[in-house]
Structure formats: C-alpha cells, structure tokens
Amino acid sequence: MSQTRTASATYTTTDIENVVRRVKADLAMIADSTGGWTPQKAADYAHDVEVLAKAGYLAWVDVTLLQNGVELKAVRFNVDTDAGTLSTSRPGGVLWPRVTAAELRIVISYTDAYTSAAREATRSKLKIGWTTSHADTSHSSLSSSGGRNYVSSTYGMQRKDWAA
C-alpha cells in the first residue's frame, strides 16, 4: 500500500530568511533615522520576527513612530504564504524623521497556531519579553502612503505604509 503526500507550502526556511532580511533592513533604517531604537534593539526585534515566522506563528508586525502619543508614521508587514504572484521590492523608503519625544512602538500579531504550548516552547528562543498589547494599530489618524512587497518563492510580507 503506497501513501501519497502533498504539501501546500512551496517555500523553505531560506525563503523566510530572505524575506525577514529585508524586514530587518527596514527596522534598522527606522531605528537609525529616528534614533528610537539602538541597532541592537532593532536586530533583536528582527531576530524574534524570524523565529516566529519560521515556526508559522507570525501574522503581522506593526511599527509606529509616535511623538507625545501622536502617530506620525507607521508600517505593517503582513505575512503572505501564497505570495508567488507578487514581485519583490528592495528595502527602504523608511527614513523617518528624528523628532523630540519620539517613541517607536512595535506590535506583533500571532497566527492561531501560536497556542500556549507553542508559546512555552518558543519563549527561550526569543530575545524580547513580549507582552499583550491593546494599542490601536488601525492608524486611522494617518493616510496610506504606499508600501512594498518582500517575496521569496511563495513566502512574503506585504508592507503597508502610513504617514501624517
């Protein structure tokens, strides 16, 4: 008796690494241009994004520049596991302003696969002590200002940008 198997995913961990490398470049640019994070902090966030993405637990990543609590800029990286029809972009377009009283906020959303057991198994691999956020990430006070696609095989992240 023979068994037949099919796989719906046509991407590898290398594809995820290629996509996350572009996200990491954006996070580094945002950190450097705003002064809101150290290069190490941006790298730690990118590390955790990669760990969660490789495990299939990452739904999206949202980064917002706030000044005295007011949103100035934002980007959201939405994971797309069927991105084969998209063409990839180069990182960039995120040289955000350096403002006084600046705060960079990062919020991540998980897939349904990130159960409490998965959370426990993953915790030691993460560099950031993530906590629950109730932040409004709708960016309703900002206007959409384009975006980019980061794709490798059928794995991708679609970046949406907002600005004041």
Side-chain angles (χ1 to χ4, degrees), residues 47-61:
H47 170 270
D48 285 6
V49 165
E50 184 171 318
V51 167
L52 294 166
K54 283 180 173 177
Y57 300 147
L58 185 68
W60 51 259
V61 178

Side-chain angles (χ1 to χ4, degrees), residues 26-140:
D26 280 352
L27 294 179
M29 273 185 247
I30 290 167
D32 186 56
S33 64
T34 64
W37 293 330
T38 64
Q40 185 58 56
K41 188 70 149 180
D44 288 350
Y45 285 133
H47 170 270
D48 285 6
V49 165
E50 184 171 318
V51 167
L52 294 166
K54 283 180 173 177
Y57 300 147
L58 185 68
W60 51 259
V61 178
D62 189 279
V63 180
T64 307
L65 172 63
L66 301 113
Q67 183 180 34
N68 298 315
V70 177
E71 291 188 352
L72 300 178
K73 297 261 191 185
V75 292
R76 176 171 297 172
F77 302 91
N78 291 301
V79 172
D80 185 346
T81 57
D82 189 20
T85 60
L86 300 175
S87 57
T88 198
S89 308
R90 296 174 71 93
V94 285
L95 291 175
W96 290 358
R98 189 173 290 247
V99 295
T100 56
E103 175 194 351
L104 284 177
R105 177 185 68 206
I106 185 167
V107 177
I108 57 176
S109 179
Y110 307 105
T111 63
D112 291 339
Y114 200 51
T115 62
S116 53
R119 195 176 309 254
E120 281 305 312
T122 308
R123 181 173 292 149
S124 66
K125 299 174 186 170
L126 301 176
K127 295 190 175 188
I128 303 295
W130 296 95
T131 58
T132 301
S133 171
H134 299 287
D136 176 5
T137 58
S138 67
H139 308 301
S140 58

Side-chain angles (χ1 to χ4, degrees), residues 133-160:
S133 171
H134 299 287
D136 176 5
T137 58
S138 67
H139 308 301
S140 58
S141 65
L142 301 177
S143 300
S144 180
S145 63
R148 296 181 184 218
N149 296 322
Y150 302 141
V151 181
S152 183
S153 187
T154 61
Y155 188 85
M157 289 196 194
Q158 296 182 20
R159 191 184 90 195
K160 295 181 180 179

